[in-house]
Amino acid sequence: KGSKRVRRGAMSWRSPRAGDPESVRVVNEAKYVQHNPQTAEGSEGLAALFARISKSSPRVNVVRAFADGDFVFAHTEYDFSTRKIGFEVFRFEGDQAVEHWDNIQPREGPNLSGRTMVDGETEPTDAERTEANRERARAFVSDVLLAKNLDLIATYVDEALIQHNPRLADGLHALRAYLDGPAISYERCHRLLADGSFALAVCEGARDGVHTAFYDLFRFDSNGVIVEHWDTIEHVAPPELWKNDNGKF
């Protein structure tokens, strides 16, 4: 069931490539709730979006995709008029998507360690550790990102962390220095999704004083230690610019 939903979710993400508004058939029009502030409500909003971006000869690549109960989440490359990287989250009822969130930023990099925003491991392992890794991610977010208790970071993160943030280098110390600075503030975690060795944290806060959404994808080793990290960071538009009233989160 989970793999079927992943496939159907991938249909939604890849549909702009063809610019075919009929691709929104994977969406339940009557129930669909859209959380992208720049997209109108319902499948008609998606159809208009797909038709608009198809004019830029779009290419979409789903790099890694996961299933967690009624949720499907994926890490995606976009090449529209500009190159971007995003995380997409769909909630399903049956075989149709009924709710959608995303977090998209311009593509940057490679970083100081030569890594891109999307390379690295793609397939989840250790399915039996899904719930344990979810709780490890929850504890890391609570203790380190929200409480900013950086003395605990080594409890959760491997010394040789593989880092895909375009502005950071590999290693625990680079991440600690980044989190210790004044620019980044995590204030609330809205959702934690997990599939085996991967977990995605959907958080809200501020960067440089601007309302911001943080999506962080972690890969855990068999001992529950974070060994690889990807993210996207997107400023949240002010409500007066939204095309729907559902909120970013």
Side-chain angles (χ1 to χ4, degrees):
K1 186 175 181 180
S3 61
K4 182 178 180 181
R5 285 177 172 173
V6 168
R7 290 193 297 272
R8 290 184 72 82
M11 286 174 59
S12 298
W13 298 311
R14 292 190 175 107
S15 56
R17 183 186 302 177
D20 180 9
E22 291 301 314
S23 297
V24 299
R25 64 186 179 276
V26 299
V27 171
N28 185 320
E29 299 180 33
K31 295 184 176 181
Y32 195 69
V33 179
Q34 174 63 259
H35 293 276
N36 180 320
Q38 303 306 313
T39 303
E41 188 76 280
S43 60
E44 289 185 7
L46 281 177
L49 173 66
F50 292 173
R52 173 169 56 82
I53 62 180
S54 69
K55 296 177 182 177
S56 61
S57 301
R59 291 183 296 276
V60 177
N61 178 38
V62 179
V63 180
R64 45 184 66 82
F66 311 97
D68 181 3
D70 291 332
F71 291 86
V72 170
F73 57 107
H75 198 190
T76 308
E77 296 177 290
Y78 302 97
D79 189 352
F80 299 153
S81 56
T82 59
R83 300 180 71 193
K84 296 185 177 183
I85 305 297
F87 286 102
E88 305 271 357
V89 178
F90 284 88
R91 182 173 64 85
F92 278 77
E93 289 183 2
D95 292 330
Q96 289 189 305
V98 295
E99 197 163 8
H100 169 254
W101 302 259
D102 61 17
N103 210 52
I104 300 170
Q105 74 162 76
R107 181 166 190 153
E108 302 176 38
N111 66 16
L112 295 172
S113 296
R115 304 189 191 279
T116 75
M117 293 181 69
V118 294
D119 61 2
E121 295 292 330
T122 59
E123 296 297 325
T125 59
D126 302 325
E128 73 284 356
R129 287 194 53 84
T130 294
E131 293 308 318
N133 287 335
R134 188 196 313 277
E135 292 312 308
R136 285 287 287 174
R138 192 184 310 280
F140 171 74
V141 169
S142 177
D143 289 344
V144 177
L145 299 185
L146 296 176
K148 222 163 185 174
N149 190 342
L150 299 181
D151 289 338
L152 293 177
I153 194 169
T155 304
Y156 300 101
V157 179
D158 189 76
E159 181 77 23
L161 173 72
I162 300 170
Q163 179 63 258
H164 297 276
N165 180 299
R167 302 185 183 187
L168 298 181
D170 284 354
L172 181 153
H173 295 293
L175 177 61
R176 176 170 181 155
Y178 170 73
L179 294 174
D180 198 28
I184 299 294
S185 174
Y186 284 75
E187 298 168 4
R188 181 179 177 185
C189 184
H190 289 267
R191 183 168 288 104
L192 269 166
L193 301 172
D195 184 354
S197 51
F198 286 83
L200 177 69
V202 176
C203 296
E204 180 178 7
R207 182 172 70 168
D208 296 323
V210 179
H211 189 198
T212 298
F214 301 97
Y215 277 44
D216 290 277
L217 181 67
F218 309 108
R219 182 173 67 85
F220 292 85
D221 67 11
S222 58
N223 296 313
V225 175
I226 297 170
V227 293
E228 196 163 8
H229 170 252
W230 304 257
D231 64 352
T232 60
I233 301 172
E234 184 179 16
H235 288 161
V236 180
E240 59 268 22
L241 298 180
W242 295 358
K243 295 181 180 179
N244 63 66
D245 297 322
N246 300 318
K248 174 75 171 176
F249 301 97

